[in-house]
Amino acid sequence: MYYIQFCTLIIYDATGAQSVGVCYGGNGNNLPSKQDVINLYKSNRISKMRLYYPDEGALQALKGSNIEVIIGVPNDQLQSLTNANAANNWVNKYIKPYSSAVKFKYIAVGNEVHPGDGAAGSVLPAIQNIQRAISSAKLQKQIKVSTAIDTTLLGNSYPPKDGVFSNNALSYIRPIINFLSSNGAPLLANIYPYFAYVNNQQSIGLDYALFTKQSPNEVGYKSLFDALLDSLYAALEKVNAPNLKIVVSESGWPSQGGVGASDQNAGTYYKNLINHAKGGTPKRPNGPIETYLFAMFDENQKQGAEIERHFGLFRPDKSPKYGQLNFT
């Protein structure tokens, strides 16, 4: 879902590193100020944030906060950044001036760009140019450059061990994967069991989508989240990238507006995902799984279907929507 503005990680694993987070969308006319939201992050021991575009107001508010930041290059800027000078200018404007006071971690170059999109041919050149600009700024050890995909790039996802990128996607994604592997950067992936469930209710049970299934299915999986994530790992193995890490950059469940959308189901999903991400998957059992819950607030101005406006964990007045989730 491209039109989100911020994501924030907030869950600590046993080592003190955070693994599960919350996306913070800004498409509303009733949301708290950026400074108030950052204060909310701090009060909940939130230490990682994802910005989907270089919002300088947010960057100013983040100075000195010690919050790690994933900053995005919007899809409509990808083509311009195929020019090396433009990429240098982007880094010099949005990264370098803030890098001493803001803890940048990743740059996400594009979000859910598909092989047939007009921007598809610009993703890899933009990634390469941003990487060169980061290296020129001597920030390459601090910041990794990546992009975010969704699971529609898979040609097959079940059983998970047979996960494979579609023929249409392969020529697009393989060079990107090679770049990420050679630079030690993760692949960002938006994974939504909700949409898989809604589109295939005849064969997918609600318990499988909500992490409440008590026993494994015929291929050894108890959750749709794990199945989707492992199908991506299987696809990576088939393009000779078995060691590439996946960061789940979005995952959520709506509370109203569509099939299966309710406070009860959404609350169950988020609570169970928080706990589940502390471990691993059948294919990658050594967790935690770095995961971003979508989203911090309901967004009343978000475009699209009604469900898009009901993914929030908090109300605009900053009160928790599903009771006090255990964020630490």
Side-chain angles (χ1 to χ4, degrees):
M1 293 188 289
Y2 171 66
Y3 29 79
I4 309 157
Q5 290 185 344
F6 308 98
C7 280
T8 306
L9 289 178
I10 55 181
I11 307 300
Y12 291 87
D13 64 21
T15 67
Q18 291 184 332
S19 58
V20 177
V22 179
C23 294
Y24 161 33
N27 292 314
N29 61 7
N30 58 353
L31 300 180
S33 70
K34 292 163 190 173
Q35 188 61 62
D36 283 347
V37 175
I38 289 175
N39 291 340
L40 183 63
Y41 295 168
K42 291 179 179 179
S43 68
N44 283 279
R45 297 179 64 195
I46 297 170
S47 70
K48 299 180 189 285
M49 174 183 285
R50 181 180 176 185
L51 292 167
Y52 279 73
Y53 72 98
D55 182 327
E56 293 192 84
L59 293 176
Q60 288 289 347
L62 282 163
K63 283 184 173 181
S65 67
N66 210 36
I67 294 173
E68 289 185 339
V69 176
I70 303 174
I71 188 169
V73 175
N75 292 358
D76 60 7
Q77 294 182 17
L78 294 174
Q79 185 175 3
S80 67
L81 296 184
T82 62
N83 178 280
N85 288 332
N88 281 324
N89 291 339
W90 193 92
V91 169
N92 288 334
K93 181 176 183 180
Y94 299 122
I95 305 298
K96 203 170 178 181
Y98 298 96
S99 61
S100 63
V102 177
K103 296 180 66 175
F104 294 111
K105 184 178 183 182
Y106 304 127
I107 298 176
V109 182
N111 186 59
E112 295 187 351
V113 177
H114 299 135
D117 294 348
S122 300
V123 176
L124 181 58
I127 289 174
Q128 293 168 329
N129 284 339
I130 291 292
Q131 178 67 58
R132 293 187 190 104
I134 288 296
S135 296
S136 295
K138 296 182 170 54
L139 294 170
Q140 71 275 12
K141 291 183 180 180
Q142 173 187 341
I143 303 169
K144 297 297 182 181
V145 184
S146 186
T147 190
I149 67 169
D150 61 29
T151 54
T152 65
L153 298 191
L154 292 171
N156 183 65
S157 61
Y158 195 85
K161 69 180 180 64
D162 292 337
V164 63
F165 291 110
S166 68
N167 291 333
N168 187 40
L170 201 56
S171 62
Y172 163 71
I173 196 62
R174 190 198 294 265
I176 293 172
I177 289 167
N178 291 341
F179 172 87
L180 299 179
S181 296
S182 64
N183 285 277
L187 175 65
L188 310 181
N190 302 338
I191 294 179
Y192 282 92
Y194 173 76
F195 293 112
Y197 162 73
V198 167
N199 293 330
N200 199 7
Q201 296 174 62
Q202 291 182 339
S203 58
I204 296 177
L206 184 61
D207 59 346
Y208 188 52
L210 293 178
F211 300 97
T212 58
K213 185 175 173 61
Q214 295 301 307
S215 56
N217 63 10
E218 67 278 3
V219 295
Y221 282 79
K222 293 170 66 176
S223 76
L224 181 54
F225 177 89
D226 279 357
L228 290 169
L229 181 52
D230 276 355
S231 67
L232 272 176
Y233 273 120
L236 290 176
E237 291 172 354
K238 293 177 179 65
V239 293
N240 299 315
N243 297 318
L244 187 62
K245 176 188 174 182
I246 295 172
V247 172
V248 179
S249 42
E250 293 176 19
S251 191
W253 197 284
S255 60
Q256 67 182 79
V259 174
S262 68
D263 282 354
Q264 180 176 351
N265 288 344
T268 297
Y269 183 79
Y270 289 120
K271 290 173 185 176
N272 288 339
L273 179 54
I274 287 169
N275 289 326
H276 184 79
K278 296 173 184 176
T281 69
K283 182 174 276 294
R284 296 288 188 273
N286 296 323
I289 306 165
E290 188 176 351
T291 303
Y292 294 72
L293 308 183
F294 182 80
M296 194 73 162
F297 300 105
D298 285 344
E299 299 169 76
N300 66 357
Q301 293 183 319
K302 180 168 285 185
Q303 301 297 309
E306 181 64 23
I307 57 167
E308 301 288 350
R309 293 178 279 280
H310 300 283
F311 276 85
L313 293 172
F314 291 86
R315 300 181 184 92
D317 66 2
K318 298 178 287 185
S319 63
K321 195 171 165 185
Y322 304 114
Q324 192 60 53
L325 293 175
N326 183 13
F327 292 141
T328 59

